[in-house]
Amino acid sequence: EVQLVESGGGLVKAGGSLTLSCVVSGFTFDDYSMGWFRQAPGKEREGVSCASFSDNVIYYGDSVKGRFTVSTDSAKNIMYLHMSSLKPEDTAVYYCAARLEPVASYTSYDYNYWGQGTQVTVSS
C-alpha cells in the first residue's frame, strides 16, 4: 500500500527556515516521480517542486527558486523540503505527492498519491 505522511510544519517568522519531511512507503523513489505542492486559503494548489530522482532532476517553481531545496534519504524513504528565507506569502498547507510515472510534473492532476498535508505559517 502506498502511503505518504508529511510532517515538520509550524509557525515561523519571516526570514526563518523550516524543513518538511515526507515519509513514503509502498514504493521507492526510483520508481515514482515526486512533487511538493502547497495550497493557501482561497487559492489553487500550486506546484512548489517536482522531481524525478531516477533521472536526477529536480525543478523548482519561480516563487521558491533559490530559497527551497529538495533532498531525499533513500535508505529511510524520506523526501525533504528545506525552506529558507521564508515569506508570509509562503503560508499554506504543504503536500507531498507521488506519481506513477518516472517523469516529473508540476500538474497536480498527474499525481496518484497524496499525503495529508502539513500547515506552514509564516508571520511578518
Side-chain angles (χ1 to χ4, degrees), residues 17-78:
S17 300
L18 207 58
T19 294
L20 306 183
S21 301
C22 174
V23 179
V24 307
S25 59
F27 67 98
T28 70
F29 294 129
D30 284 339
D31 298 326
Y32 290 14
S33 56
M34 300 292 296
W36 282 101
F37 292 81
R38 66 185 181 185
Q39 189 164 21
K43 294 188 177 181
E44 293 188 355
R45 192 164 293 188
E46 174 192 13
V48 173
S49 176
C50 60
S52 171
F53 298 112
S54 60
D55 291 337
N56 291 315
V57 293
I58 304 175
Y59 303 102
Y60 298 94
D62 289 340
S63 61
V64 305
K65 200 171 296 182
R67 300 187 298 121
F68 291 12
T69 58
V70 171
S71 66
T72 60
D73 183 335
S74 296
K76 296 181 180 179
N77 290 334
I78 303 176

Side-chain angles (χ1 to χ4, degrees), residues 1-16:
E1 180 184 6
V2 173
Q3 287 189 327
L4 297 85
V5 180
E6 302 100 334
S7 63
L11 175 64
V12 63
K13 292 184 178 180

